[in-house]
Amino acid sequence: MQSPEEVATTVGRNVRALRQQRRMTIDALAAAAGVSRGTVIQIETSRGNPSIATLVSLAAALRVGVASLVDGDSEPRIVVRRAAEAARLWAGAAGSSAVFRIGTDPPDVVELWDWTLQPGDSFDGEAHPMGTREVLSVLSGHLGLRVGNSVQHLDAGDTVLFEAHAPHRYSNDAPEDGDGTPVRFVMVVLQPGDAGLVPPTSIAEAEIPLV
């Protein structure tokens, strides 16, 4: 069992780390939790053990459980999602698919996607909040990418990073006289600091092909 000093150190470290992850000032956390600024400072500097009521209020303000504040495990967190656990969130009639491999919780969202587009297929992505970026790397085939009014043509081995606050489209860009090769690419979505975002549950198919 942890000593009172160890508990104070653990809670202080966790509160400070969670507050910084959520880009909250000390004053903002104090207001959200209904405690004084001095109380937050004392807790973060391990100068006292908070009451249960204060812990509950801080946990609610930081959108975590109390366990996250008193957890003394300093080992890095590792999350493994096996292949069978990945979620296919879109499937085209021709066999195209978008598989959501893994992602993080808000406020700083990172998502890893695995895409396959069959010849003639495309997908329209809606505009994301300002500050969102996407990184795509083409594994095989020829990918057409439209971001706003800009069109890029990418081959296997090509990688692109773009700001995703404009509508965008991914398309199988295989030559008309080609052998009908699917395009496969991996995509990372980086969406910082919006605590209102939630992990995706579904996505919609494109209606208009890339031209």
Side-chain angles (χ1 to χ4, degrees):
M1 181 177 295
Q2 296 185 76
S3 68
E5 293 76 17
E6 290 172 331
V7 171
T9 299
T10 296
V11 170
R13 180 186 66 238
N14 290 338
V15 168
R16 183 170 58 255
L18 288 165
R19 176 178 63 79
Q20 291 172 344
Q21 288 173 15
R22 282 149 178 74
R23 294 186 173 87
M24 298 177 73
T25 64
I26 290 176
D27 289 334
L29 176 57
V35 300
S36 70
R37 183 177 190 274
T39 296
V40 175
I41 293 174
Q42 283 190 327
I43 292 171
E44 289 196 359
T45 55
S46 306
R47 287 187 284 161
N49 280 308
S51 67
I52 293 175
T54 299
L55 277 177
V56 170
S57 296
L58 287 170
L62 293 166
R63 302 184 305 283
V64 297
V66 172
S68 295
L69 301 186
V70 299
D71 184 3
D73 187 1
S74 60
E75 288 297 311
R77 183 186 180 207
I78 300 175
V79 178
V80 177
R81 175 169 288 183
R82 303 297 178 184
E85 299 172 329
R88 188 172 68 171
L89 297 184
W90 172 69
S96 300
S97 64
V99 178
F100 182 69
R101 292 293 180 184
I102 201 166
T104 63
D105 294 324
D108 294 315
V109 175
V110 180
E111 301 170 355
L112 176 63
W113 293 79
D114 184 347
W115 285 79
T116 301
L117 289 176
Q118 298 294 337
D121 264 358
S122 60
F123 177 84
D124 284 327
E126 296 181 357
H128 295 297
M130 185 68 69
T132 304
R133 290 171 290 173
E134 293 189 8
V135 182
L136 279 64
S137 187
V138 182
L139 303 179
S140 61
H142 307 276
L143 175 67
L145 172 66
R146 174 178 289 168
V147 182
N149 296 319
S150 176
V151 176
Q152 303 292 329
H153 301 279
L154 307 170
D155 296 325
D158 291 346
T159 302
V160 61
L161 181 152
F162 65 92
E163 297 177 335
H165 56 265
H168 42 283
R169 178 179 297 168
Y170 326 117
S171 174
N172 187 317
D173 201 22
E176 294 183 1
D177 57 351
D179 57 2
T181 302
V183 60
R184 183 162 178 241
F185 62 97
V186 291
M187 177 178 73
V188 175
V189 181
L190 308 170
Q191 199 153 229
D194 189 335
L197 296 175
V198 296
T201 57
S202 65
I203 52 179
E205 185 175 358
E207 297 181 355
I208 306 173
L210 180 67
V211 294

